[in-house]
């Protein structure tokens, strides 16, 4: 999708992922939890026991449940039962902040603590050396102290000399993994040739050949001896991406009478845009958060006065790219001329919100700093935190996207009309993604009227909680038919003559969104509309972009692909 909003942050102007990850953690869990995360960044591998000990010895004022916040947040990744690790750049960023907050002496204190902790808990072999993680925790501390560079060199030199005469191949491999873990950190302090060049030659069993390597070898006094073993090499991207999660959902297909003729359970990928609060293990309309290890019971046993607010999140579903026939075929019942001519459109991958924007999501973003216009913090006629926000204009929806973009560092906008229909159809060619008709058990619309051979049902006369019908389309999107009309980015056109075929927004004049005039497109139908207006191909304009009605809301697109 084209970048059409000057207020959307370009990827090359965004803060790096490490900075964003730490900022989001601090915003979500607070300063105390962040202080604990600073200290958690010191070890290579973290356990809940170790983190409790770090809290007790260095930041005792931090509440005990901050241990769960650190381990179950995006800062850490589980690598085994009650074992967690941090990505190298994240660890590096946290340790720099630790120095700034607590001083460089704290790193040396952490090094001493880690040595004692390892000595008291791990098995030993070969002169009382620890078997696993953290054989040289003081490397981390010393690497941050410029006055101690020679001390670091001497420590690594001694370790290399010991390893070159050792016969234990497993220990050499363990040491190589340790070097790899510290590489980002130490290379920033000028030790890259010593660590990467020399250790790689050691692993490859090759003698040092060129002059620079000879000089390094002479400086460290190391004599390398070859040995053979298998090793796997992982080459990371320049900037790691946040992993997509998988969720399951149910889809149904109905016949012309509205009878369900097929049910399926499907899966899709999504990412969570966390706005505020604390992620817990509870299941809600917004999916499941999986807990790990003994922290499950501790989180479940939080006393009411200690419970943090539930997470406020927007779930963004991955929509695969592809081609489809946009518009309605000539034989579709109750079609309109503005759905002509049916034409092939190719859409690039994007992320679309699983649900229309809710009132609680709206309130959070409405409190963020203004970009172009003020926002009413509670505009909706039908109140309810998990009901869709409505009575918002197209300009309001664009302002929401602009504020969210600045807050998250990701480019959010409204979907183009082509993206919306492509996402709604999810590979279907029938009038509804459910099939040939629609029923009030599947969607919220004026079911006192029918479509095709369908049956009458409940006319609710108000909005419903998003996702409350429990069925999605094949992409994993809910409420695409009915509930509220959804704003699209495009200018309104009376038909598809000369429409773009690449999924981009169709604008008549300027693409400065805050200054656009005229009508915009609405899609999906609403609680007050007949079923014909809820078809996948149905289109509507709402007079002008600044109108606000109780049956009009929106959902959002993240147009940055997997740049997360």
């Amino acid at each position: 999708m084209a970048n059409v909003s000057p207020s959307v942050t370009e990827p090359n102007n965004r803060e790096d992922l490490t900075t964003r990850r730490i900022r989001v953690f601090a915003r979500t869990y607070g300063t105390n939890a962040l202080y604990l995360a600073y200290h958690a960044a010191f070890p290579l591998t973290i356990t809940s026991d170790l983190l409790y000990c770090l809290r007790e010895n260095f930041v005792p004022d931090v509440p005990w449940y901050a241990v769960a916040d650190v381990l179950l947040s995006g800062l850490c990744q589980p690598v085994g039962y009650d074992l967690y690790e941090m990505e190298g750049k994240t660890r590096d960023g946290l340790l720099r902040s630790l120095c700034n907050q607590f001083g460089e002496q704290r790193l040396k204190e952490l090094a001493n603590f880690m040595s004692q902790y390892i000595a008291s808990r791990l098995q030993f072999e070969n002169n009382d050396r620890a078997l696993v993680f953290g054989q040289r925790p003081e490397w981390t501390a010393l690497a941050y102290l410029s006055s101690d560079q020679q001390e670091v060199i001497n420590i690594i030199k001694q370790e290399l000399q010991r390893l070159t005469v050792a016969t234990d191949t497993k220990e050499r491999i363990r040491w190589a993994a340790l070097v790899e873990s510290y590489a980002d950190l130490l290379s920033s302090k000028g030790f890259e040739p010593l660590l990467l060049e020399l250790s790689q030659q050691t692993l490859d069993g090759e003698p040092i050949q060129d002059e620079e390597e000879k000089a390094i070898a002479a400086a460290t006094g190391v004599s390398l001896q070859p040995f053979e073993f298998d090793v796997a090499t992982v080459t990371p991207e320049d900037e790691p991406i946040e992993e997509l999660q998988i969720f399951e959902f149910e889809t149904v297909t109905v016949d012309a009478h509205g009878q369900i003729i097929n049910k399926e359970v499907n899966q899709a990928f999504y990412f969570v845009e966390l706005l505020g609060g604390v992620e817990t293990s509870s299941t809600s309309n917004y999916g499941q958060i999986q807990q790990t290890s003994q922290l499950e019971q501790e989180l479940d046993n939080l006393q009411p006065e200690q419970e943090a607010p539930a997470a406020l999140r927007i779930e963004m579903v991955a929509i695969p790219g592809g081609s489809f026939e946009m518009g309605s075929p000539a034989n579709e019942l109750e079609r309109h001329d503005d759905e002509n001519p049916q034409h092939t459109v190719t859409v690039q991958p994007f992320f679309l919100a699983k649900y229309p924007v809710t009132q609680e999501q709206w309130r959070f973003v409405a409190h963020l700093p203004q970009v172009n216009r003020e926002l009413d913090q509670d505009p909706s006629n039908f109140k309810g935190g998990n009901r869709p926000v409505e009575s918002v204009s197209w300009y309001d929806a664009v302002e929401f996207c602009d504020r969210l973009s600045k807050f998250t560092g990701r480019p959010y906008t409204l979907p183009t009309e082509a993206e919306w229909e492509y996402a709604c159809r999810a590979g279907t060619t029938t009038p509804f993604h459910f099939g040939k008709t629609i029923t009030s058990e599947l969607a919220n619309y004026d079911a006192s009227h029918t479509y095709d051979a369908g049956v009458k049902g409940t006319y609710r006369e108000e909005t419903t909680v998003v996702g409350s019908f429990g069925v999605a389309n094949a992409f994993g999107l809910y409420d695409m038919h009915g509930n509220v009309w959804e704003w699209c980015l495009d200018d309104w056109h009376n038909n598809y003559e000369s429409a773009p075929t690449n999924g981009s927004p169709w604008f008549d004049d300027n693409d400065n969104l805050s200054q656009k005039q005229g009508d915009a497109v609405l899609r999906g139908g609403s609680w007050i509309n007949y079923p014909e207006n809820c078809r996948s191909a149905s289109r509507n304009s709402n007079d002008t972009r600044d109108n606000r009605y109780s049956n009009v809301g929106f959902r959002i697109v993240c147009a940055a692909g997997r740049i997360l």
Side-chain angles (χ1 to χ4, degrees), residues 141-386:
L142 297 177
Y144 278 95
L145 308 176
S146 58
S147 60
D148 290 323
Q149 285 191 9
Q150 188 57 49
E151 186 176 356
V152 178
I153 292 176
N154 289 337
I155 289 174
I156 300 175
K157 168 185 170 182
Q158 292 170 8
E159 186 70 3
L160 282 169
Q161 288 175 325
R162 193 193 69 78
L163 286 167
T164 55
V165 298
T167 58
D168 187 349
T169 302
K170 291 183 179 180
E171 180 152 347
R172 293 189 184 198
I173 297 174
R174 277 200 304 272
W175 177 82
L178 184 66
V179 168
E180 181 180 356
S181 296
Y182 277 108
D184 290 345
L185 182 67
L186 295 177
S187 63
S188 68
K189 289 295 184 178
F191 302 122
E192 185 169 5
L194 179 66
L195 281 174
L196 303 185
E197 298 287 349
L198 188 56
S199 63
Q200 187 59 52
Q201 294 295 336
T202 304
L203 293 177
D204 292 342
E206 299 175 1
I208 297 175
Q209 296 294 331
D210 62 34
E211 294 302 319
E212 180 181 7
E213 291 168 341
K214 288 180 180 179
I216 294 173
T220 57
V222 176
S223 175
L224 300 180
Q225 299 179 2
F227 64 98
E228 295 182 358
F229 60 92
D230 294 328
V231 61
T233 302
V234 178
T235 304
E237 300 292 336
D238 292 339
E239 183 177 277
I241 60 174
E242 296 172 15
E243 290 187 1
L244 296 179
Q245 303 175 52
I246 296 176
F247 71 100
E248 290 189 347
F249 53 90
E250 184 178 68
T251 62
V252 300
T253 304
V254 300
D255 62 17
H257 300 282
Q259 297 297 311
I260 295 176
I261 57 177
N262 187 48
K263 287 186 178 181
E264 291 184 358
V265 175
N266 295 299
Q267 292 183 332
F269 291 98
Y270 75 112
F271 74 86
V272 173
E273 192 65 83
L274 186 62
L275 301 181
V278 179
E279 296 279 28
T280 71
S281 62
S282 61
T283 302
S284 68
N285 283 333
Y286 303 105
Q288 297 181 348
I289 302 300
Q290 183 179 5
Q291 293 179 319
T292 308
S293 78
Q294 69 193 57
L295 295 173
E296 296 175 349
Q297 291 78 21
E298 294 165 351
L299 283 174
D300 290 339
N301 293 331
L302 282 173
Q303 298 300 316
E305 64 271 19
Q306 293 176 308
E307 287 183 351
L312 178 58
R313 40 198 268 143
I314 301 177
E315 293 183 346
M316 301 297 298
V317 179
I319 308 300
S323 299
F324 77 112
E325 294 302 306
M326 186 172 180
S328 60
N331 63 348
E332 185 164 301
L333 294 177
E334 303 187 62
R335 69 190 297 269
H336 301 285
D337 289 341
D338 58 25
E339 300 163 22
N340 281 324
Q342 197 172 27
H343 58 293
T344 302
V345 177
T346 299
V347 176
Q348 298 302 310
F350 60 97
F351 288 88
L352 185 65
K354 185 188 291 187
Y355 312 102
V357 171
T358 66
Q359 293 174 37
E360 62 179 0
Q361 293 165 350
W362 174 272
R363 281 193 291 270
F364 180 90
V365 173
H367 280 87
L368 296 177
Q370 177 178 331
V371 177
N372 290 304
R373 62 191 287 116
E374 295 181 357
L375 291 177
D376 183 345
Q377 296 176 8
D378 189 21
S380 300
N381 181 58
F382 303 108
K383 305 299 183 184
N386 284 336

Side-chain angles (χ1 to χ4, degrees), residues 20-49:
R20 179 184 179 277
R21 181 179 287 144
I22 295 172
R23 175 175 63 79
V24 169
F25 178 87
R27 185 183 70 225
T28 304
Y29 301 106
T31 303
N32 282 336
L34 183 63
Y35 289 165
L36 182 59
Y38 290 165
H39 293 77
F42 188 87
L44 289 179
T45 305
I46 312 167
T47 66
S48 55
D49 176 77

Side-chain angles (χ1 to χ4, degrees), residues 326 415-421 488-490 496 521 523 539:
M326 186 172 180
T416 69
E417 187 177 11
E419 287 175 331
W420 193 97
E421 184 173 331
C488 292
L489 202 57
D490 310 53
Y496 289 133
V521 180
R523 285 303 203 112
R539 310 172 66 225

Side-chain angles (χ1 to χ4, degrees), residues 102 140 163 286-287 291 330 408 544:
F102 295 97
T140 307
L163 286 167
Y286 303 105
Q291 293 179 319
T408 64
T544 62

